[in-house]
Amino acid sequence: MRSSKQKIITAVVLAVLVLPAIYLGVQLFAILNRPYRTETAVEYTMSDSVFANGYVVFDQTAVEGSGDLGYLVENGERVAAGTAVAEVYASTEQAQSRRQLEELETQLSLLEKSENTSGTDVDMLYKQQQNALYDLLDCIDMQAYDQVKEAGNQYLLAANKIQIMTGAVSNFDQAKQELQAQKDQAEAQLGQPETISAPVGGYFVASDSADLLSLTREQLDEMDAATLAQSIEDGEGVQPLEGAGKIVTSYTWYFYGTCSLEEGKKFENVSSVQISFPGAAEKTLPATVESIELNEEQGLAKFVLHCEYIGADVLGLSLEEAKIDFESYEGLRVDADALHIVDGEKGVYVKYGNLARWRKIQIVYQNEEYMLVAEDGKVGTDNELRMFDEVIVEGTDLRDGKILS
């Protein structure tokens, strides 16, 4: 009986001693095997930016016209008053004849360029052909089907020139004669469609490429920040562009936008900014700050920007989200989660071999996701981070000299 009790007591004692040991072992295993995620510090440029919705305002005139239209000029092309910008087709066959004619003209032009091989060599042409093939495959991969035709033509141009340079053919006279005969036939079938002319000079925009903003600058100038914000939210004044299109009569345009009061204060004492429209007109353009109105009561700001740079992508804008950049900064980009403060000093931990090492940093600029660190890193100074350092972004219990695994 006593032996049985001793066994029970021994088992209880062992359980009391072993279970904490097992628990401690599990915790140590978890700590020692905790993954550490790193990111490489690389050179980068960041901007102090504000995103804001607003109206893009042009001086513009509508181009009247209706029916089955075919355009004779490109979007954004500058035309003089009276220039034929579109034609009206009386039948489907006439429209098809115009499309066939344009394709034949492209093929003829391609063959004529193919015969001009001056200043080129075969090796260069083979490289151009290869690059054109890669561009074509990229267009297909990115589903940029509107660019496939141009990429294919560049491939054919290089291939045709290779035939001339290697003596496979001496010229493309026979092919050009056949295309010319088809072109003459297409021109006869096309006849003389009715044309639509530009009422004034300026930059042409087709009706299917833009909306029309009916609000004038005078109306927008009268709105306070809250009224403008509500108008933008409701999409007031924006309607489909009817007729054949529009003519933008000036290369200058304006952006009327609203933002928070805090963001609006960034416009104070600033004369120029950079503006772009993500997903619509990506190219960054310089703009002048025309005005900024801060409304403390509404907690909003209204601003007006003026730009004198224009392009086909910009001409199609009306109610858009703009990205306004105030100042650009350069440095080493580091994930904001990597920042640590030790003894009052800002720094990060970097992975050197199997160790975590503490590196002090000087932050040039920071937003919610990333920070830019000065590039002149040198150990022993106030800024020790160097390019290509592996910065530890995720990890716990970090300290200088800690073994990571």
Side-chain angles (χ1 to χ4, degrees), residues 41-95:
V42 295
E43 288 183 329
Y44 201 77
T45 300
M46 294 174 64
S47 299
D48 184 11
S49 306
V50 166
F51 288 85
N53 293 322
Y55 292 113
V56 182
V57 185
F58 303 98
D59 294 328
Q60 56 195 14
T61 300
V63 180
E64 303 296 336
S66 60
D68 186 2
L69 303 179
Y71 292 101
L72 305 177
V73 297
E74 298 291 333
N75 272 333
E77 184 175 339
R78 186 172 178 82
V79 298
T83 300
V85 296
E87 53 189 10
V88 185
Y89 303 121
S91 65
T92 302
E93 291 74 20
Q94 194 176 40

Side-chain angles (χ1 to χ4, degrees), residues 15-36:
V16 171
L17 294 175
V18 170
L19 288 177
I22 293 174
Y23 176 79
L24 180 61
V26 170
Q27 294 301 312
L28 286 173
F29 180 82
I31 292 173
L32 292 175
N33 290 274
R34 191 183 303 276
Y36 293 89

Side-chain angles (χ1 to χ4, degrees), residues 14-298:
L14 287 174
V16 171
L17 294 175
V18 170
L19 288 177
I22 293 174
Y23 176 79
L24 180 61
V26 170
Q27 294 301 312
L28 286 173
F29 180 82
I31 292 173
L32 292 175
N33 290 274
R34 191 183 303 276
Y36 293 89
R37 183 170 68 86
T38 64
E39 288 186 4
T40 305
V42 295
E43 288 183 329
Y44 201 77
T45 300
M46 294 174 64
S47 299
D48 184 11
S49 306
V50 166
F51 288 85
N53 293 322
Y55 292 113
V56 182
V57 185
F58 303 98
D59 294 328
Q60 56 195 14
T61 300
V63 180
E64 303 296 336
S66 60
D68 186 2
L69 303 179
Y71 292 101
L72 305 177
V73 297
E74 298 291 333
N75 272 333
E77 184 175 339
R78 186 172 178 82
V79 298
T83 300
V85 296
E87 53 189 10
V88 185
Y89 303 121
S91 65
T92 302
E93 291 74 20
Q94 194 176 40
Q96 291 175 342
S97 296
R98 168 57 75 185
R99 288 191 290 271
Q100 182 183 12
L101 182 59
E102 290 175 348
E103 179 60 30
L104 291 168
E105 288 175 342
T106 298
Q107 293 180 31
L108 272 170
S109 175
L110 189 65
L111 290 180
E112 290 171 354
K113 292 178 181 178
S114 299
E115 293 177 335
N116 181 11
T117 58
S118 61
T120 58
D121 58 57
V122 175
D123 289 339
M124 182 185 299
L125 289 172
Y126 277 121
K127 185 174 292 186
Q128 290 176 358
Q129 184 184 37
Q130 185 181 49
N131 291 338
L133 178 59
Y134 290 152
D135 290 341
L136 178 60
L137 294 175
D138 285 342
C139 290
I140 296 173
D141 184 56
M142 296 185 296
Q143 299 183 354
Y145 301 121
D146 57 329
Q147 302 174 28
V148 167
K149 183 178 178 181
E150 176 60 26
N153 285 341
Q154 291 303 313
Y155 177 84
L156 289 175
L157 179 60
N160 289 344
K161 286 189 174 185
I162 290 172
Q163 292 189 71
I164 295 287
M165 291 288 289
T166 58
V169 298
S170 57
N171 57 58
F172 296 104
D173 288 349
Q174 182 176 352
K176 288 192 293 184
Q177 289 174 4
E178 293 175 357
L179 288 173
Q180 185 61 52
Q182 295 177 41
K183 179 184 173 184
D184 294 339
Q185 183 179 2
E187 286 179 335
Q189 292 173 344
L190 175 64
Q192 297 292 328
E194 176 189 349
T195 59
I196 298 172
S197 299
V200 294
Y203 303 91
F204 176 74
V205 184
S207 59
D208 58 357
S209 301
D211 290 324
L212 181 67
L213 178 64
S214 60
L215 295 172
T216 65
R217 286 193 60 206
E218 289 73 18
Q219 291 173 310
L220 294 171
D221 285 335
E222 293 176 356
M223 296 181 183
D224 62 15
T227 304
L228 178 60
Q230 189 62 53
S231 179
I232 292 170
E233 183 178 346
D234 296 340
E236 182 182 343
V238 179
Q239 57 197 38
L241 180 57
E242 298 179 350
K246 68 178 182 180
I247 300 291
V248 175
T249 56
S250 174
Y251 61 86
T252 64
W253 51 274
Y254 297 84
F255 182 77
Y256 283 74
T258 62
C259 60
S260 69
L261 186 64
E262 181 179 353
E263 291 173 326
K265 292 178 180 178
K266 294 183 179 182
F267 289 91
E268 292 187 303
N269 303 317
V270 173
S271 59
S272 61
V273 295
Q274 301 284 323
I275 186 171
S276 60
F277 300 89
E282 298 282 357
K283 185 176 180 179
T284 301
L285 301 173
T288 301
V289 179
E290 286 282 306
S291 65
I292 174 68
E293 300 175 15
L294 304 178
N295 193 311
E296 299 279 351
E297 183 178 347
Q298 297 172 348

